[in-house]
Amino acid sequence: MKQYEHPPAEAFRLTAILHALSDPYRLSIVQKLSVLQPQPCAPLQGGRPKSSVSHHFSVLRKAGLVRTVVVGVNHMNSLRDAELEARFPGLLKTILDAAARSEGLPAQD
Amino acid sequence: MKQYEHPPAEAFRLTAILHALSDPYRLSIVQKLSVLQPQPCAPLQGGRPKSSVSHHFSVLRKAGLVRTVVVGVNHMNSLRDAELEARFPGLLKTILDAAARSEGLPAQD
DNA sequence: ATGATAGTTCGACTATTGTCGAACTATTCG
DNA sequence: CGAATAGTTCGACAATAGTCGAACTATCAT
């Protein structure tokens, strides 16, 4: 059962994390994973072709945000939240809170 | 005295903020401003040509991170920290803490 | 006015990123 | 085994972003 490479927590680079989360689609993946974990890629596709989805998951993995484990035919994704919290305390939660807040008011004053 | 356009706080987009901070040079500008505010562009140049510096300040302004006020011959930059805090509580501080932490350990274990 | 200083704008170029179809790999099921 | 499913990799292309010199603008000092 072939698995993925994930950078060790010491190798996380803040700028890579911020870049990974600066894409709206990737941010939405992380938001959804924060609600339900783990999930395979399929329910997170959002209408995109598989090759695009795969690319975005690769960016998330390389930044250290997501861990992907092959379980049978599915690739189960989860957030590396504990490691992230240890390395950059409060970062993920604060960004997710900000993201939630952004969504509340996209249309009104 | 000609001044700059700055987006209102309601127009801040999280992804634009994350993107702005995902560039190491721009992140370093924000870090330096967080220590000493306001500052003109010159001391923050970091060896880059003026046109590049100007470009990066423009990105920071458009994201809502920096406010630039023309004072005589200098363009004084400061963080829009209060507005940012109101819109995205804890975000700037958490990222700056993470950035400070990143710098502590670029070489050791 | 002239010159000096601080920074912007423009335009060209390069590099990085995102998109997507097609072919490929791994696993399960029949 | 062969077919189906889930996702990756490759390669081409488009779009976005960063870099930098040169010309420009605004302000201050003389």
Side-chain angles (χ1 to χ4, degrees):
Chain A
M1 197 185 291
K2 194 178 208 175
Q3 295 295 344
Y4 288 84
E5 298 243 319
H6 296 92
E10 315 87 70
F12 292 175
R13 284 177 314 131
L14 176 60
T15 50
I17 291 173
L18 297 178
H19 172 249
L21 295 175
S22 74
D23 178 273
Y25 173 56
R26 287 191 298 256
L27 180 57
S28 79
I29 290 175
V30 169
Q31 282 186 278
K32 285 168 188 157
L33 285 177
S34 75
V35 172
L36 176 61
Q37 235 178 124
Q39 286 190 71
C41 304
L44 303 166
Q45 283 206 186
R48 283 169 185 74
K50 295 197 297 180
S51 50
S52 294
V53 173
S54 191
H55 163 70
H56 287 297
F57 271 98
S58 164
V59 172
L60 288 169
R61 274 192 298 268
K62 284 175 183 156
L65 283 157
V66 166
R67 161 161 279 131
T68 307
V69 176
V70 179
V71 177
V73 96
N74 290 307
H75 296 203
M76 297 304 281
N77 302 286
S78 33
L79 297 177
R80 296 181 66 179
D81 36 20
E83 290 157 290
L84 248 2
E85 180 63 20
R87 183 80 158 74
F88 297 126
L91 184 65
L92 185 56
K93 180 181 184 314
T94 305
I95 293 177
L96 286 171
D97 286 353
R101 198 170 273 250
S102 297
E103 277 159 5
L105 39 151
Q108 83 261 31
D109 85 79
Chain B
M1 198 185 290
K2 191 177 211 178
Q3 294 294 347
Y4 288 84
E5 299 245 319
H6 296 92
E10 314 87 69
F12 292 174
R13 285 178 313 132
L14 177 60
T15 49
I17 291 174
L18 297 179
H19 172 250
L21 295 176
S22 73
D23 178 273
Y25 173 55
R26 287 192 296 258
L27 181 58
S28 79
I29 290 176
V30 170
Q31 283 186 279
K32 284 169 189 156
L33 285 177
S34 75
V35 173
L36 176 61
Q37 237 181 121
Q39 287 191 69
C41 303
L44 303 167
Q45 284 205 187
R48 281 166 186 76
K50 294 196 296 179
S51 50
S52 294
V53 173
S54 191
H55 164 69
H56 288 296
F57 271 98
S58 165
V59 172
L60 289 170
R61 274 192 298 267
K62 284 175 183 156
L65 283 157
V66 165
R67 163 161 277 131
T68 306
V69 177
V70 179
V71 177
V73 96
N74 290 306
H75 296 204
M76 297 305 282
N77 302 286
S78 32
L79 297 177
R80 295 180 67 177
D81 37 20
E83 290 159 288
L84 249 0
E85 180 63 21
R87 184 80 159 76
F88 298 126
L91 184 64
L92 185 56
K93 180 182 183 315
T94 305
I95 293 177
L96 286 171
D97 286 353
R101 197 169 275 251
S102 297
E103 277 159 3
L105 38 152
Q108 83 261 31
D109 90 77

